[in-house]
Each structure stands twice: as structure tokens, then as C-alpha cells.
Amino acid sequence: MALLATLLNLVKQLFTLILQRLLRRGGRNQAVPMNVVRIPDGDTVVVEGHMSIRFAYIDCAETAKSAADREAAKRDPSMNSQFRWGESAKEFVQAAIQNNGNKVQVQVLNTDQYGRKVGLVYAGNDLLQYKLVKKGLAVVYHSFTDGSPTCQQLKDAERLARTTQRGVWGDSDFVMPWDFRRQHKKH
């Protein structure tokens, strides 16, 4: 039994190394297929090998991390709004990925300060960032955008969502995720 556990651990380590090399080779020009094992929130997925992939260019509302958060949200309209939209974004991503056989294609752009790969994430032919922004379930993280056509598409989708009051844009209690995190340091 111990030998089997050791072998499984070695296989997992080998898989992680191969995946990391593929990601480095893939760079900006090639999307790499990956199996999703967990979706912690609306703008992050964890793929096989326990690698976190942060969705580039967008920010989703935070999700409640504990019973205490859920209890506090009952008394705080902006916290309630944040967690409600965060959960909606997470559910949307879960459904899109499940409909694609729990697989995504990731085009890695860089690595963030937490060691997560940051990239464009596709479920089938759909860029999940675009779908989230278009539905008003995510906002464009303008301080992290560049002049790429993808960023322009995201900005256009956000402008439309904002104009038509979709999702977070129709919620007067919504606080931008980066402001919410600053106000509530543990998120």
C-alpha cells in the first residue's frame, strides 16, 4: 500500500513537471488543454497538478469563505452583494466547464505575485473572461490590461453590460472587488 502511494505521488509530480513545461512552452501563442479539478471562485480554476490559473484581465466579486462571512453578509448590504455576485460568477464558470467535460484550454500570459499562472481561459470556443464580463458577472481589471484585441473586446463587453445594467452594474450595493478586498483585508 505504501509503495502504491509513493508511485501515485511520483506520477503526480511527473505530471506537474510536464504540465509546467507545456505551459512555459505554450507562452502567449498556444493554448494548452487542461482538466479542471476545482473552481474556488469566479476568476480562478485549479487544474490537475494542483496548479492555480487566474483569469487574466478581469476581477470577479469575492465569495464567502466561512459561516462568519455569511452571517456578516446578512447585516451588510455591500458584503451580501459581493458574496451573491461572487457565487453567481463561480456557478457560471462551473456550468461552462462542466458542459465542456471539465476541460479548459489555457493560454498563459504570465505568473502573478502569488505564483498562479495568469491567462486566457477557454471552455470550448468560449473565452470565459468575455462571457463573465458580458453577463455583468465580472469587471475588467483596467490596471492589468494592455492594448491587445482581447482587452478591447473585454472593455467593449463591460461598456455594454454597464450601459444595460447587467449583473453587478444593476446592483447599487455592489462594491468593486478590489475595493471590497481593501475594506475587508481577509478576502
Side-chain angles (χ1 to χ4, degrees):
M1 199 63 147
L3 179 61
L4 181 60
T6 302
L7 278 172
L8 285 173
N9 192 32
L10 286 172
V11 168
K12 189 183 286 187
Q13 289 174 356
L14 181 61
F15 178 79
T16 301
L17 285 171
I18 292 169
L19 186 59
Q20 288 172 341
R21 285 190 183 196
L22 275 172
L23 288 174
R24 276 196 292 272
R25 257 195 338 207
R28 288 183 167 264
N29 300 319
Q30 183 179 0
V32 177
M34 299 182 190
N35 292 318
V36 175
V37 296
R38 193 167 59 86
I39 302 168
D41 57 39
D43 53 26
T44 308
V45 295
V46 178
V47 297
E48 281 183 317
H50 303 288
M51 186 177 300
S52 287
I53 309 290
R54 174 73 167 79
F55 291 22
Y57 307 130
I58 68 165
D59 203 3
C60 288
E62 295 297 315
T63 55
K65 308 279 190 272
S66 66
D69 284 348
R70 287 183 283 283
E71 198 56 41
K74 292 177 183 176
R75 298 181 302 278
D76 181 340
S78 70
M79 188 177 277
N80 182 46
S81 171
Q82 189 73 199
F83 295 156
R84 190 167 29 87
W85 289 114
E87 197 58 40
S88 293
K90 178 180 176 177
E91 289 170 2
F92 175 82
V93 169
Q94 284 174 326
I97 291 173
Q98 284 173 348
N99 289 339
N100 199 50
N102 290 324
K103 296 181 185 328
V104 292
Q105 297 262 9
V106 178
Q107 187 177 352
V108 175
L109 304 177
N110 56 39
T111 302
D112 72 8
Q113 69 267 30
Y114 305 108
R116 297 177 296 189
K117 297 296 181 190
V118 178
L120 301 176
V121 182
Y122 297 85
N125 293 324
D126 294 329
L127 176 62
L128 290 177
Q129 284 97 317
Y130 178 78
K131 294 288 190 178
L132 285 161
V133 171
K134 185 178 175 186
K135 289 183 168 295
L137 297 175
V139 294
V140 175
Y141 218 150
H142 291 274
S143 57
F144 290 101
T145 60
D146 55 31
S148 70
T150 300
C151 286
Q152 191 55 53
Q153 289 174 336
L154 292 172
K155 290 174 184 178
D156 291 345
E158 182 180 70
R159 194 173 308 110
L160 179 62
R162 178 181 249 165
T163 303
T164 57
Q165 300 282 292
R166 285 190 198 138
V168 300
W169 300 110
D171 183 347
S172 62
D173 290 323
F174 182 72
V175 174
M176 288 296 177
W178 48 84
D179 291 332
F180 180 85
R181 283 190 297 273
R182 195 172 339 114
Q183 294 165 4
H184 303 85
K185 292 285 186 202
K186 71 178 184 173
H187 295 279

